[in-house]
Amino acid sequence: MNTARAAIISVASITAPQLALAGRQLEEPLADSVRGALSAAIASSAPPIPEFNNTETKLQYLRWLGEMSTRLKRKKTDFETRKEFLQTVWYESKRAGLDISLVLGLIQVESNFRKHAISVVGARGYMQIMPFWARVIGDGDAGKLFHMQTNIRFGCVILRHYLERERGDTFMALGRYNGSRGKPQYPNAVYAAQKNWMFTA
């Protein structure tokens, strides 16, 4: 391979969208009430600023943030970028009533923490949201799925929806999220990745 060709390939690998190896969420009919509830759940544009009832809770969050920032450093080298990302994941996970380590494990498996990841079936961003969700419960603008908070909010709301459909069965909900309901490979991969993000205060 000559030098010029190698340089072109190197530049292309940096500038081209990064493909992700995620599965695909399946578009299913939603009752109007469910669609309305999901739309309402993703509608607020408030920034993900944590609020705390007491000093101990705030200190626990700060300890978590510090530890997770250290663990994530190889994936996101800039501190402010890591902080904003982790703050958003914390906020949106709590908002949706999800285990934060599970959400981080899912993000690791889905996109390996790449904001602009695109799967072979067109799923987008950190949590690999299929564009049809923007039409079904959003404003129709699939481009917004590359916005960090929008993507993570959609992902958390969708995972919560699947958990409710599966009556709290995380294994089945994760399979549904990936479009592989009932198969063990994807849930097991998320559970394995989740171990990287467990935190004991």
Side-chain angles (χ1 to χ4, degrees):
M1 179 182 297
N2 62 43
T3 306
R5 185 179 176 198
I8 290 170
I9 291 173
S10 176
V11 170
S13 68
I14 293 171
T15 58
Q18 295 177 305
L19 292 178
L21 300 178
R24 75 182 295 165
Q25 296 141 1
L26 303 178
E27 184 170 2
E28 303 172 3
L30 295 177
D32 288 342
S33 59
V34 173
R35 185 182 296 108
L38 292 173
S39 295
I42 58 96
S44 172
S45 59
I49 299 174
E51 296 181 356
F52 306 97
N53 295 326
N54 55 64
T55 302
E56 180 53 37
T57 304
K58 182 175 182 179
L59 288 175
Q60 184 175 345
Y61 165 76
L62 291 174
R63 287 192 291 269
W64 173 86
L65 182 63
E67 177 62 29
M68 294 303 110
S69 179
T70 299
R71 296 184 197 181
L72 192 61
K73 191 171 184 179
R74 287 195 302 172
K75 299 292 184 184
K76 294 185 176 296
T77 57
D78 178 69
F79 173 73
E80 287 301 324
T81 300
R82 289 199 307 277
K83 179 183 174 184
E84 183 182 10
F85 170 79
L86 288 167
Q87 178 175 292
T88 302
V89 171
W90 186 92
Y91 179 90
E92 295 299 339
S93 298
K94 293 283 189 180
R95 184 176 184 268
L98 298 172
D99 185 311
I100 303 168
S101 65
L102 181 70
V103 173
L104 284 167
L106 186 150
I107 292 172
Q108 180 178 327
V109 171
E110 288 284 346
S111 67
N112 201 22
F113 300 100
R114 291 173 293 159
K115 181 178 180 179
H116 294 103
I118 303 174
S119 78
V120 294
V121 293
R124 302 181 179 194
Y126 285 121
M127 296 189 74
Q128 290 292 277
I129 310 303
M130 289 295 289
F132 74 79
W133 282 110
R135 169 176 49 79
V136 172
I137 63 173
D139 62 6
D141 183 359
K144 291 180 180 177
L145 296 177
F146 287 121
H147 177 265
M148 178 178 63
Q149 185 181 5
T150 300
N151 184 278
I152 295 171
R153 176 164 294 182
F154 265 79
C156 288
V157 166
I158 292 164
L159 182 56
R160 167 50 55 191
H161 166 62
Y162 288 150
L163 275 167
E164 290 174 359
R165 287 202 61 181
E166 298 293 349
R167 300 185 181 183
D169 187 327
T170 306
F171 180 90
M172 297 301 286
L174 287 171
R176 191 181 285 275
Y177 188 97
N178 180 249
S180 59
R181 183 178 183 274
K183 298 179 181 179
Q185 292 86 351
Y186 180 79
N188 288 344
V190 173
Y191 292 146
Q194 180 182 10
K195 294 176 182 177
N196 296 324
W197 309 104
M198 296 288 195
F199 176 74
T200 303

